[in-house]
Amino acid sequence: MIDREQTIKFQAMEQAAPRLRQAFRALTGAHAAFQGAIGLRSVSVSDLLDDDSIEATFNGVRIKFQMLLVFGADRRPRARVVCIHCHCTFGKPVQAALGAFTFGPDGMTDLDPDAEGHFPRMDSDAAAIVLRYLEAAINANRTL
């Protein structure tokens, strides 16, 4: 027998999933920012790929953002984004996790807040999120 509470939880996810996917796609907007006002033309951010991921590159450094639907601690629908460093070691392709963050249907992430205490948002802070993980990938290159 299906538990009523579990059904309600999945119905909430079904309703929130389109908003979560839309918030995730906001990362692709970072490309226009890098090519425009920010002026980091060597940073490229892909459109949403067939596997529902987004890739970013900077001078040969490549990272991948993969979104997963999850239930938060409060049992509410959220999205988890895993960032993966894609590189080759000894001629073999390697994918290593760089970190992850969570966001809700409103696009508010659980990444560290800025100096004023504002948490990054998927829509307005996409470029900063991409740079954060590109920097982590560059730092990870030191230990390869």
Side-chain angles (χ1 to χ4, degrees):
M1 176 180 263
I2 295 177
D3 181 284
R4 176 78 178 131
E5 188 174 321
Q6 189 177 36
T7 302
I8 291 169
K9 188 167 80 169
F10 274 84
Q11 287 171 340
M13 179 65 81
E14 185 175 50
Q15 292 172 354
R19 289 191 314 276
L20 291 167
R21 285 191 177 90
Q22 185 64 31
F24 178 66
R25 277 192 291 275
L27 284 176
T28 64
H31 183 77
F34 292 130
Q35 301 307 305
I38 296 175
L40 283 172
R41 288 172 177 64
S42 56
V43 177
S44 178
V45 181
S46 74
D47 289 332
L48 189 67
L49 301 173
D50 289 341
D51 65 351
D52 291 329
S53 69
I54 295 169
E55 291 186 357
T57 60
F58 172 74
N59 287 322
V61 175
R62 184 167 61 106
I63 59 175
K64 179 178 186 174
F65 295 95
Q66 184 72 55
M67 187 190 90
L68 309 166
L69 296 175
V70 298
F71 292 108
D74 58 1
R75 302 177 62 134
R76 294 178 130 165
R78 301 202 37 91
R80 185 87 174 143
V81 177
V82 178
C83 186
I84 302 162
H85 184 200
C86 305
H87 58 94
C88 288
T89 302
F90 302 114
K92 302 228 188 266
V94 177
Q95 292 189 350
L98 287 172
F101 63 93
T102 305
F103 66 90
D106 62 354
M108 182 80 65
T109 72
D110 64 354
L111 290 166
D112 294 334
D114 62 16
E116 291 84 37
H118 299 110
F119 287 88
R121 298 183 51 83
M122 294 296 287
D123 53 359
S124 59
D125 300 308
I129 293 169
V130 170
L131 288 179
R132 171 191 198 117
Y133 285 100
L134 280 171
E135 183 174 9
I138 290 169
N139 288 334
N141 285 343
R142 291 186 298 196
T143 61
L144 294 178

